[in-house]
Amino acid sequence: MIMVAVFAGFVTMQDAIVKPIAFALAFGVLVDAFLIRMTFVPAVLMWVGRAGRWLPRGLQKILPNVDIERRDLPRPPAQPSETPATASERD
């Protein structure tokens, strides 16, 4: 919306060269943001189903495993509970 507002603001300029460029940019960003990215892309991803999230095996081997929720990380070894040492053990 910010880009649309900025480009639409340039439409009010007196320069005849800037007006059509600013209008085209504002219209293009508006169509891209709302029609393509909010309507068309989700519809296509729903239509293709799991194939929209498929990762080729060769690419899967190259990419690092990014696990932000720490599901696949190994658990740290359990720390033995420390018992207070008696006076004879400390000497």
Side-chain angles (χ1 to χ4, degrees):
M1 293 304 301
I2 293 171
M3 289 176 64
V4 172
V6 169
F7 293 143
F10 286 126
V11 173
T12 62
M13 293 181 66
Q14 297 298 322
D15 192 2
I17 295 174
V18 174
K19 278 185 178 187
I21 295 171
F23 177 76
L25 286 171
F27 183 73
V29 169
L30 193 65
V31 167
D32 178 56
F34 288 103
L35 185 64
I36 303 298
R37 295 182 192 239
M38 292 180 74
T39 306
F40 185 68
V41 171
V44 168
L45 286 175
M46 187 173 165
W47 181 56
V48 298
R50 187 164 169 83
R53 296 177 299 274
W54 175 72
L55 186 64
R57 185 175 297 139
L59 187 60
Q60 191 172 11
K61 291 178 183 178
I62 297 171
L63 293 175
N65 183 16
V66 179
D67 185 22
I68 60 173
E69 295 178 356
R70 300 185 63 164
R71 290 184 183 165
D72 296 334
L73 292 177
R75 300 226 182 256
Q79 298 292 331
S81 60
E82 296 182 19
T83 57
T86 59
S88 61
E89 291 176 351
R90 279 187 239 149
D91 293 329

